[in-house]
Amino acid sequence: MTTLIIADHNHASLQAAMFNTVTAAQKIGGDIHVLVAGSNAQEAAQAASRIAGVAKVLHADAPHLAKPTAENVSATVVAIAKGGGYSHILAPATGFGKNVMPRVAALLDVAQISEITVVEGADTFVRPIYAGSVLATVRSSDAIKVITVRATGFDAAAASGGSAAIESVPAAPDTGMSKVTGQELSKSERPELTSARVVVSGGRGLGSAENFKLLEALAAKLNAALGASRAAVDAGYVPNDYQVGQTGKIVAPDLYVAVGISGAIQHLAGMKDSKVIVAINKDPEAPIFQIADYGLVGDLFQIIPDLTAALG
């Protein structure tokens, strides 16, 4: 039994969710191989080889993978999977994984198992459904199991300590079906939202984009990432990449501070696994208080400045 993990990387380094995906693969059992498909991605391949528990790294290097499309990556994955004897193919449930893995499953004519949070056995997995309000146990009889892994369900594997061999493998030819015409990356001095230890999120209760500056000051004091509910994003207070929830980003920080967020089930699905949840809302009946470890009922426009000042 051997698992192939499809690396989510930027050619120079691995995305944080990769380390959680390796832990999920370890729970399945057997050898673990990592496929790094890219162009001049030797640094990412080296990083994968150092992860504790990885037995081999496959490095597919080709010019058309410099800006990889799902069609080209999935073609390479399937070509390797068919001849590699793999029992499982895993990828983190990031934007990359969610884009590539359905195509891999379709090309292999198997079902995809999405966003697993628990491994009960080599063929049995637990995944959330209905915005996380129900956990489904899924057993697969497919010869190759295609799976995306929700990073918040697993601890991160050690980034060092491994010494896996790196093997060059051919990339599938360019499918020509799509191409990346441009990319625009957001830049911030704050930690990245999905990997931050502390997250401060705001909701509709902030009232305006201008008022989100209150949270920016608090986040700076806590060295926290800044998030938002869908209502705040839809209202135009902050960009889409701030959104936490079922249709946004899934986070599980050590501390999650929810400010002016009522706690709709779609938002809770994205942050309920946080270790400590602090809710600040003027409505004592807000659903967010049902899952909060600490709740503060009051006017956020008074509480947040006072809290920020108290933090020195």
Side-chain angles (χ1 to χ4, degrees):
M1 187 166 63
T2 305
T3 295
L4 178 66
I5 298 176
I6 315 307
D8 186 356
H9 64 91
N10 63 4
H11 305 285
S13 61
L14 302 173
Q15 299 300 325
M18 277 293 299
F19 302 98
N20 309 82
T21 305
V22 170
T23 299
Q26 290 173 331
K27 292 183 179 297
I28 292 171
D31 289 338
I32 300 172
H33 296 179
V34 175
L35 170 63
V36 176
S39 179
N40 295 319
Q42 292 86 353
E43 290 183 54
Q46 290 286 349
S49 72
R50 293 190 291 268
I51 301 176
V54 173
K56 182 189 290 186
V57 175
L58 307 178
H59 183 201
D61 192 276
H64 63 272
L65 294 175
K67 293 182 177 179
T69 63
E71 291 82 1
N72 283 337
V73 173
S74 59
T76 296
V77 172
V78 170
I80 292 170
K82 286 183 175 179
Y86 291 105
S87 57
H88 299 74
I89 302 176
L90 271 58
T94 56
F96 168 84
K98 292 177 181 180
N99 199 13
V100 170
M101 295 301 269
R103 291 169 168 80
V104 171
L107 291 169
L108 292 174
D109 195 24
V110 299
Q112 177 183 305
I113 305 173
S114 301
E115 300 203 37
I116 66 166
T117 56
V118 177
V119 175
E120 292 194 346
D123 63 351
T124 307
F125 312 92
V126 176
R127 60 179 297 266
I129 59 175
Y130 301 131
S133 58
V134 176
L135 296 176
T137 300
V138 180
R139 178 172 293 164
S140 172
S141 59
D142 288 327
I144 302 177
K145 295 159 183 59
V146 176
I147 299 168
T148 58
V149 176
R150 181 174 287 192
T152 57
F154 301 90
D155 293 333
S160 60
S163 56
I166 300 176
E167 177 183 326
S168 293
V169 295
D174 188 352
T175 63
M177 297 176 68
S178 65
K179 65 179 181 179
V180 178
T181 59
Q183 290 178 306
E184 188 172 325
L185 301 178
S186 59
K187 295 182 179 180
S188 173
E189 295 180 356
R190 288 186 294 271
E192 202 278 323
L193 184 56
T194 56
S195 59
R197 292 183 62 252
V198 181
V199 174
V200 176
S201 280
R204 196 199 310 270
L206 270 296
S208 70
E210 182 69 20
N211 289 336
F212 251 82
K213 292 180 180 178
L214 291 173
L215 298 193
E216 291 178 0
L218 177 60
K221 294 285 188 180
L222 295 172
N223 190 29
L226 196 60
S229 67
R230 179 172 179 173
V233 171
D234 287 348
Y237 300 165
V238 288
N240 289 341
D241 58 351
Y242 282 44
Q243 185 177 328
V244 173
Q246 183 182 13
T247 55
K249 295 179 178 178
I250 308 297
V251 301
D254 293 340
L255 173 63
Y256 188 89
V257 183
V259 182
I261 295 175
S262 63
I265 189 170
Q266 291 85 358
H267 184 76
L268 301 186
M271 46 65 72
K272 64 184 179 64
D273 291 329
S274 304
K275 291 182 174 62
V276 176
I277 299 171
V278 176
I280 301 171
N281 200 294
K282 67 179 181 181
D283 179 8
E285 302 300 322
I288 190 72
F289 288 123
Q290 296 177 12
I291 68 162
D293 297 285
Y294 301 93
L296 186 56
V297 178
D299 183 357
L300 69 88
F301 296 106
Q302 178 180 347
I303 292 171
I304 298 303
D306 289 348
L307 177 58
T308 304
L311 290 170

